[in-house]
Amino acid sequence: MNLLTLIKISWRNIWRNKLRSLVVIFSIVFGLLGGIIIIAMSYGLNEERMNNAVDTYLSHIQIHNILFSEDYNIKHTINNLDIIEKAINEDERVVSYSKRIVLNGMLSNSNGSYGIQVKGIDPEEEVKVTNTYEKIIDGEYFKSKRDNTILVGKKLADKLNLNLKSKVVITFQDENYELTSLLYRVEGIFRSGNSRYDEMNVFVKNKSIIKNLPGFKGYHEMPILLNDIDLRGEVKKDLIPLSSDNIVEGWDDISKELAYANEMLSAVLYIFMMIILSGLSFGVVNTMLMAILERRKEIGMLMSIGMNRYKIFMMISFETIFLSLIALPFGLLTSYMIVDYYSVVGIDLSVVEAGLENFGVGTRLYFKVPNEEYFNVSLMVFVISIFSSVFPSIRALKINPVEATKTI
């Protein structure tokens, strides 16, 4: 009996009891479907969180003075700014950049005070780097001709009961460590999708800061947007030699928790998928053991007429593997269609909006599964099916042909 004949026999054997085989196949299909949807949701949430952070406040690269990164004293501005700007303007990998004045201080009104970080920006430059202007839910994005207008986050506005045209005072230390207070009027309220960020950050025009600090010059932060996020390593290497007093960081250097979550996601999902498939493998093993018990006399007769143990082992193994391999394409195809649909339409999660904003995630979840994950899942199913075939095959070899043929 050659291998092809053995494969044909195994294929026919699994359809001798169609109901039992279909139950196992459908259980594997639904297991694959559930596992891949969980993967799609996890990748979608992670990408939404990362993109929201990058587009709202991180950008791809940021430049600061090393000393400013340590103590946030406003006198530590970016060194060699002219040289850096020239290099950036000549770099085709750079889409746009902005220059910010960053102050740590207190925002106060009649309802109380709150610690915040003030970002002094050029509104026209900032719209090319971040999407804060798209997040305005009330008011306008620096349309007023006045310099002393401010944008505040929704969470901060709720805490201090701020509305449009509300007056607030920002207090901070100047370069001489003296307290300085500036009066602003709320022009807009934004919601970035990250409630912690909205609570801690406000935007003002950098003109208003420079005008009130005559001795101050320079900028503290330069966010840079690239045409490809994966180019950040190359651009960093090119910018670092321009000044030893500055620190050049990618988004993953600034937000290490996001980078760590991004790196660990695949490993965690593989473990999760392995648990699902391992659970399904027990069902396959149990089904095959029942089949072997029912066919005990048949297997004993095959042994009696000269079928060797190797071929018995291979026959049972093929039957077990076939159950998984039949389910695999149906599970992958169904999963792909669902993921493809919800990658465009998304799922509305507005009922848990407040909780999602604490993690920097929007209210609409779009599925995403990298193409290589389908291959990896297929490989996992194939490996699990091979391991699942071993125990039933060994159990079949333990059948005594003499005793088996005597049974009714």
Side-chain angles (χ1 to χ4, degrees):
M1 184 185 296
N2 57 32
L3 183 62
L4 183 59
T5 304
L6 200 61
I7 291 174
K8 288 180 179 179
I9 293 173
S10 301
W11 176 260
R12 290 170 181 169
N13 283 341
I14 64 173
W15 297 114
R16 290 167 62 178
N17 190 324
K18 292 183 177 64
L19 179 61
R20 182 168 59 200
S21 296
L22 287 173
V23 168
V24 175
I25 289 169
F26 277 111
S27 68
I28 297 174
V29 168
F30 284 112
L32 281 171
L33 180 61
I36 291 177
I37 287 178
I38 292 296
I39 290 175
M41 293 177 67
S42 300
Y43 270 107
L45 284 170
N46 187 67
E47 185 169 84
E48 171 73 14
R49 186 184 178 203
M50 187 183 77
N51 288 342
N52 190 47
V54 170
D55 294 341
T56 303
Y57 58 93
L58 286 179
S59 298
H60 296 150
I61 292 176
Q62 287 189 14
I63 301 176
H64 306 89
N65 186 300
I66 293 176
L67 296 176
F68 180 77
S69 300
E70 294 175 358
D71 61 11
Y72 287 89
N73 189 307
I74 69 169
K75 67 182 180 181
H76 299 312
T77 56
I78 297 172
N79 285 336
N80 296 340
L81 184 60
D82 294 339
I83 297 173
I84 293 171
E85 280 197 87
K86 184 175 183 296
I88 291 174
N89 287 326
E90 295 174 353
D91 196 330
E92 295 181 352
R93 297 167 296 183
V94 175
V95 175
S96 56
Y97 68 94
S98 177
K99 301 185 292 292
R100 298 171 180 163
I101 297 172
V102 181
L103 308 174
N104 282 348
M106 296 288 293
L107 185 142
S108 309
N109 70 348
S110 58
N111 296 306
S113 302
Y114 210 82
I116 47 94
Q117 186 172 84
V118 182
K119 296 185 184 294
I121 62 171
D122 180 331
E124 293 182 1
E125 286 185 356
E126 193 70 19
V127 297
K128 299 175 183 177
V129 181
T130 58
N131 63 0
T132 303
Y133 70 98
E134 297 177 349
K135 305 292 185 176
I136 301 295
I137 59 172
D138 197 8
E140 296 179 319
Y141 178 81
F142 292 122
K143 297 292 185 182
S144 173
K145 294 181 179 179
R146 295 180 178 180
D147 291 335
N148 66 329
T149 58
I150 186 172
L151 304 181
V152 300
K154 181 68 168 64
K155 189 74 177 285
L156 181 61
D158 291 341
K159 281 183 174 292
L160 297 179
N161 195 26
L162 299 176
N163 299 302
L164 294 181
K165 298 185 179 180
S166 294
K167 292 181 180 180
V168 295
V169 175
I170 293 177
T171 305
F172 60 94
Q173 285 186 329
D174 62 17
E175 63 268 31
N176 299 316
Y177 299 98
E178 296 180 359
L179 289 179
T180 300
S181 296
L182 302 179
L183 177 66
Y184 287 93
R185 190 183 295 272
V186 176
E187 184 180 356
I189 298 173
F190 64 88
R191 174 184 279 168
S192 68
N194 186 330
S195 59
R196 294 181 183 179
Y197 178 78
D198 295 349
E199 188 178 12
M200 302 290 293
N201 294 270
V202 299
F203 291 87
V204 301
K205 295 177 182 177
N206 51 27
K207 293 179 186 177
S208 65
I209 299 173
I210 295 171
K211 183 171 66 175
N212 289 281
L213 297 175
F216 174 78
K217 292 182 180 179
Y219 297 91
H220 302 114
E221 186 171 276
M222 180 181 284
I224 303 171
L225 192 66
L226 308 177
N227 51 33
D228 188 342
I229 193 172
D230 294 328
L231 294 174
R232 66 189 183 280
E234 298 176 14
V235 178
K236 275 173 56 180
K237 288 181 181 178
D238 294 339
L239 292 176
I240 288 172
L242 299 180
S243 175
S244 59
D245 295 322
N246 296 329
I247 180 170
V248 183
E249 300 173 295
W251 72 267
D252 46 344
D253 300 316
I254 301 167
S255 182
K256 294 188 182 297
E257 72 280 3
L258 273 178
Y260 181 74
N262 202 42
E263 290 176 2
M264 290 298 295
L265 181 64
S266 294
V268 171
L269 291 177
Y270 285 145
I271 293 172
F272 179 79
M273 196 69 193
M274 186 62 74
I275 292 172
I276 291 178
L277 294 178
S278 297
L280 291 173
S281 71
F282 286 112
V284 175
V285 170
N286 183 60
T287 300
M288 291 307 300
L289 289 175
M290 291 173 60
I292 290 169
L293 183 62
E294 291 177 2
R295 295 158 53 196
R296 189 164 177 267
K297 183 175 181 180
E298 172 193 324
I299 294 172
M301 290 181 63
L302 289 173
M303 289 181 176
S304 299
I305 62 176
M307 191 172 185
N308 62 41
R309 291 179 175 273
Y310 169 75
K311 290 180 179 178
I312 294 290
F313 183 92
M314 292 302 295
M315 182 181 71
I316 302 300
S317 296
F318 281 137
E319 291 178 26
T320 311
I321 293 171
F322 282 153
L323 288 172
S324 299
L325 295 185
I326 292 168
L328 181 60
F330 291 102
L332 292 180
L333 181 61
T334 307
S335 303
Y336 180 82
M337 292 171 62
I338 292 174
V339 170
D340 185 61
Y341 176 77
Y342 284 105
S343 67
V344 177
V345 176
I347 296 177
D348 185 13
L349 300 177
S350 55
V351 292
V352 288
E353 178 180 5
L356 290 174
E357 283 191 350
N358 289 328
F359 295 97
V361 178
T363 58
R364 199 153 200 88
L365 171 62
Y366 295 94
F367 285 6
K368 180 189 177 182
V369 177
N371 290 332
E372 62 268 18
E373 295 299 331
Y374 290 105
F375 173 78
N376 293 335
V377 169
S378 301
L379 187 61
M380 290 170 66
V381 171
F382 183 71
V383 171
I384 289 289
S385 65
I386 291 176
F387 280 108
S388 301
S389 69
V390 173
F391 185 72
S393 301
I394 292 175
R395 181 67 184 84
L397 296 181
K398 293 182 179 180
I399 293 176
N400 188 316
V402 176
E403 293 180 358
T405 52
K406 289 180 180 179
T407 59
I408 298 176

